[in-house]
Amino acid sequence: MITTKLDKTGINVYTLSNKNGMEVDVIGLGAAIVNIRIPSKAGVKDVVLGFDDLNMYNVNPAFFGICVGPVANRTANAKLTIDGVEYSLPVNENSNNLHTDFDKGLHKRVFGEKIDGEKVVFDISLEDMEYGLPGNRKFTVIYELTDDNMLSIEYKMISDKKTIINPTNHTYFNLGGHNSGSILDSVVKLNCDNYTPVSSDLIPVEIAPVSGTPFDFTSEKSVGKEINEDNLQLKLGGGYDHNFVINDNSNAIAVVRNDKTGISMEVFTDLPGVQFYTGNNIGVVEGKEGTTYVKNSGLCLETQYFPNSANDKRFKSPIIEANKEFYSKTGYRFSF
């Protein structure tokens, strides 16, 4: 079921609910997930970080809840080449590009919005060379909540020129509740035998096995178990902030569990990678219900093409052909 209310900020809030009492609030500003309420054994828990004042999603330096794009994650030297033509993105992290554009990216745009049956549909049109990228493009984000507690996100894009698309969702999850403190005691398992170690400016340099490293989450372990190990990659990321290579997409690619609330979350996707990020750079942010969010208050599992994949021929390419629709789907299924 979907209901709509006009927030005091003038922003429409769409609430998706199911027969199990789970509720998800989404808005057209940044196509953002602002609340996920779960009726756990410890009471109703809102398990995502965010803001009560929806206008704060216009600021949102930590990217709480929003859709990132057209190009998520890092692009080396803020440049990419398509059919011999070089295109430039804003230089906004050292000499590189991160998340397309901090000030004007999709996460700060107001999408068109509508309800289509049991789905909320957000869409936006991008002009040729907007963000420095080719093609008149129509980009769509679709949310649906099912009775088996699956929150799905569908991404679509069509362009009249060959171009790049690598969207993701940047929701920070804390299955203990958004105001419960650190996620370091959360238990995580990743269906990933390999990851992509990074250079000093966080650009992937290779595909390497996780075995024998703190990046081995092939069996369940707490986030905090090895996060402070004397490991160069952990030091570069300030914790976990790395792309993991998904083994296969036929089952859950990640599982997160909080034993205090009994809430667990499985992640599904058709994309090749997932950025596991432990909120190392949240800073100090005033969030919902007067909660102060700090480092490690939430974790992200950002499904994606690998960082810098437009420039690294070892990685699956995010380049799409003209007039051929891009489609991808990611799902978060909760148990409680």
Side-chain angles (χ1 to χ4, degrees):
M1 185 173 101
I2 300 173
T3 58
T4 309
K5 70 174 182 181
L6 186 66
D7 184 74
K8 62 184 179 181
T9 58
I11 295 172
N12 283 323
V13 179
Y14 295 86
T15 300
L16 301 91
S17 58
N18 67 12
K19 67 179 183 180
N20 305 312
M22 182 176 165
E23 295 182 336
V24 179
D25 293 336
V26 295
I27 60 173
L29 174 56
I33 298 171
V34 298
N35 303 293
I36 299 179
R37 292 180 291 273
I38 303 233
S40 77
K41 67 181 184 181
V44 177
K45 298 292 182 181
D46 182 354
V47 298
V48 299
L49 277 56
F51 305 102
D52 291 326
D53 180 355
L54 299 184
N55 281 323
M56 285 300 297
Y57 287 92
N58 281 305
V59 184
N60 198 9
F63 289 74
F64 293 149
I66 45 71
C67 174
V68 178
V71 186
N73 218 309
R74 295 175 172 88
T75 300
N77 301 311
K79 296 180 184 297
L80 58 95
T81 301
I82 301 174
D83 288 346
V85 178
E86 186 177 85
Y87 298 94
S88 297
L89 293 161
V91 176
N92 59 14
E93 188 191 59
N94 302 315
S95 62
N96 304 315
N97 174 266
L98 174 62
H99 295 334
T100 305
D101 191 315
F102 288 168
D103 297 321
K104 301 177 183 178
L106 291 179
H107 65 290
K108 290 191 177 179
R109 299 286 292 273
V110 178
F111 285 63
E113 52 194 55
K114 68 178 181 180
I115 296 173
D116 182 7
E118 294 301 313
K119 299 181 178 183
V120 178
V121 180
F122 297 124
D123 58 38
I124 193 166
S125 295
L126 306 176
E127 296 181 357
D128 185 34
M129 296 309 297
E130 194 166 353
Y131 302 123
L133 299 171
N136 294 294
R137 293 148 284 168
K138 183 178 180 182
F139 178 69
T140 306
V141 184
I142 304 169
Y143 288 107
E144 182 178 17
L145 178 64
T146 64
D147 281 338
D148 66 351
N149 305 319
M150 175 80 83
L151 173 63
S152 67
I153 310 173
E154 296 174 87
Y155 302 102
K156 297 180 180 182
M157 195 177 82
I158 191 79
S159 170
D160 64 359
K161 291 183 180 179
K162 193 172 183 178
T163 193
I164 181 172
I165 180 65
N166 186 16
T168 196
N169 180 275
H170 210 290
T171 293
Y172 290 72
F173 297 96
N174 187 331
L175 301 187
H178 79 95
N179 54 358
S180 65
S182 174
I183 46 81
L184 295 183
D185 61 351
S186 295
V187 175
V188 170
K189 181 179 180 181
L190 301 176
N191 180 22
C192 304
D193 292 334
N194 297 281
Y195 79 118
T196 51
V198 296
S199 61
S200 59
D201 57 354
L202 304 181
I203 298 294
V205 295
E206 62 177 333
I207 296 175
V210 298
S211 180
T213 77
F215 292 82
D216 189 349
F217 283 88
T218 54
S219 298
E220 288 187 340
K221 71 178 180 185
S222 68
V223 174
K225 183 175 181 180
E226 297 178 295
I227 198 170
N228 293 314
E229 292 287 303
D230 185 12
N231 175 277
L232 176 60
Q233 288 296 310
L234 288 173
K235 291 177 180 178
L236 290 173
Y240 297 106
D241 187 9
H242 293 73
N243 170 69
F244 285 73
V245 180
I246 295 168
N247 292 341
D248 70 83
N249 299 100
S250 58
N251 295 297
I253 61 99
V255 181
V256 184
R257 190 182 80 241
N258 182 282
D259 291 331
K260 293 178 181 177
T261 61
I263 299 172
S264 63
M265 179 180 76
E266 298 174 287
V267 184
F268 299 83
T269 191
D270 52 11
L271 292 168
V274 59
Q275 187 86 2
F276 178 42
Y277 174 52
T278 48
N280 315 316
N281 300 306
I282 290 175
V284 179
V285 179
E286 294 305 311
K288 301 177 198 173
E289 302 175 312
T291 304
T292 300
Y293 302 133
V294 295
K295 180 178 180 178
N296 304 140
S297 288
L299 62 84
C300 301
L301 289 160
E302 304 161 57
T303 59
Q304 58 174 7
Y305 290 96
F306 299 173
N308 199 39
S309 54
N311 294 316
D312 196 321
K313 301 306 180 185
R314 296 169 296 180
F315 304 158
K316 187 174 181 179
S317 174
I319 305 298
I320 62 167
E321 298 292 334
N323 301 310
K324 185 176 181 180
E325 185 180 68
F326 166 84
Y327 177 84
S328 180
K329 186 175 183 178
T330 289
Y332 301 91
R333 186 168 66 197
F334 296 84
S335 300
F336 45 90

